[in-house]
Each structure stands twice: as structure tokens, then as C-alpha cells.
Amino acid sequence: MTTGTPTTASAGPGPVVAASIASTCAVTVLGALVAWPSPELTGSGWQVADVPPSTACLVAGAAVLCVVVAATLVRPGSLPGRAAAVTWWVLALASAFALTWNALYSAALSAVAFGAVIPVLHWLFTFVPALVVGLATRGAGPRAQLRATLGTAVVTLPLLALGWALLLSSDVLGAVLGTLWSTAVLGVVPLVVAVAATRLR
């Protein structure tokens, strides 16, 4: 019988959870602390135009970093079956793309008078990737499945928080607190529901 430190393939979700929390807090502070220039809000197409290079680099850089960190921690290639790995990559990349657009749209919206924000569908950003990945990795075993499912949060939670931080960035303290609250309610809660719904016992 072999004993010793668990391999990455069988490691628990602790590092993934820690990375999600740390990156979410980091982008929240960064997005709220700096006065990032806003893109132009348009009424057609992608609804965003003339994205300032600094804001584009912030959002794109955060998206790339989140995907790289998530993939490093989850190691999708170690999941049994090609379908599980492909599903994880598709959901991670699709989430990064959708939340990159959401962050840029939020940054553009921050420069106009928009009244109260009604986040009708924001909860889907964390719920759908976690749910789909959780279902697709049920054959991987409880620990690997949980790590893969929570791995989506390394992508979705920080980028969701970045969108809120850019939207609320006029007041630093208010932006940080508002971002963390919105991310907890609209990001963490749906994520937990998806994990619980697909969790192997």
C-alpha cells in the first residue's frame, strides 16, 4: 500500500477555494481603487466601443490569469474521459469570455446615469458552469469532481467581482463593500447551490 502526500489528481479542493477567495478580493480592490477609464456605451452590437487600452488590459489580463490558475489547480487532463476535460475547458473559456464582456459593459455603464441596477441574470454566471461541470465529472470520483466543479469559481467569481467593482468604482470603500456583497449573493450562493446539486457522496 502506498502512503504519502496526495497527488494533484486526488488532492482536495482547499487550494481551489483559497485561489477563488484571494483572486476575488484582489480584483475587487484593484478594480475599485484605480479610476479606470470607461469604454463608450453604445446601443447596438456588443454595446461597448472604444475600450481604453488600460481597461482592456486589466479585464483581459484578469481573464487570462484566472483561466491559467484554474487550469493549473484543476488539471482537466487528469479527469477520466475526454468529455469531462473538454467540458471543463469549454465552460471555463466561455465563462471568461462572457464575464470579460460583462466587466467591460459594467465599466461603460459606470460613466452614465443608469439608476438602480437590477441583476436579473447575473447569478447564472457562476451557477451554469458549476452545474454543467459537476454533472460532466460525476464519473471522476468525489474529490476530483468537487475540485473540477469549484475550479470554475476561480474563473467566474473574480471576473464577476471585477465587473461590479468597475461599475461601482466612484466610491472606493462603497465599491469594495458593494462588490463583495453582490458577488457573495449573486456569485457564491448560486455556486454553492450548483455544487450541492451535483455533489457525489
Side-chain angles (χ1 to χ4, degrees):
M1 181 175 66
T2 303
T3 60
T5 304
T7 63
T8 303
S10 62
V16 179
V17 173
S20 299
I21 295 172
S23 55
T24 298
C25 292
V27 299
T28 295
V29 173
L30 184 61
L33 193 60
V34 179
W36 300 98
S38 300
E40 178 186 347
L41 190 65
T42 66
S44 61
W46 291 99
Q47 297 185 298
V48 175
D50 297 329
V51 180
S54 59
T55 304
C57 288
L58 168 70
V59 177
V64 171
L65 184 61
C66 287
V67 171
V68 169
V69 171
T72 300
L73 292 172
V74 172
R75 294 187 180 273
S78 69
L79 296 171
R82 183 177 178 83
V86 170
T87 300
W88 191 93
W89 275 113
V90 168
L91 268 296
L93 293 174
S95 298
F97 178 82
L99 284 162
T100 294
W101 174 85
N102 177 70
L104 293 175
Y105 178 76
S106 297
L109 197 62
S110 69
V112 300
F114 54 83
V117 177
I118 304 176
V120 178
L121 300 176
H122 281 62
W123 60 275
L124 292 173
F125 283 127
T126 58
F127 178 79
V128 171
L131 182 70
V132 175
V133 169
L135 293 174
T137 57
R138 289 180 68 86
R143 292 170 72 84
Q145 186 223 23
L146 181 60
R147 192 179 69 253
T149 306
L150 291 176
T152 62
V154 180
V155 177
T156 57
L157 285 180
L159 295 179
L160 179 63
L162 182 58
W164 283 109
L166 293 174
L167 177 67
L168 305 171
S169 60
S170 58
D171 170 24
V172 175
L173 180 59
V176 170
L177 295 178
T179 294
L180 293 177
W181 170 255
S182 299
T183 303
V185 173
L186 297 170
V188 176
V189 172
L191 173 72
V192 171
V193 171
V195 171
T198 58
R199 182 80 172 100
L200 292 173
R201 298 293 185 261

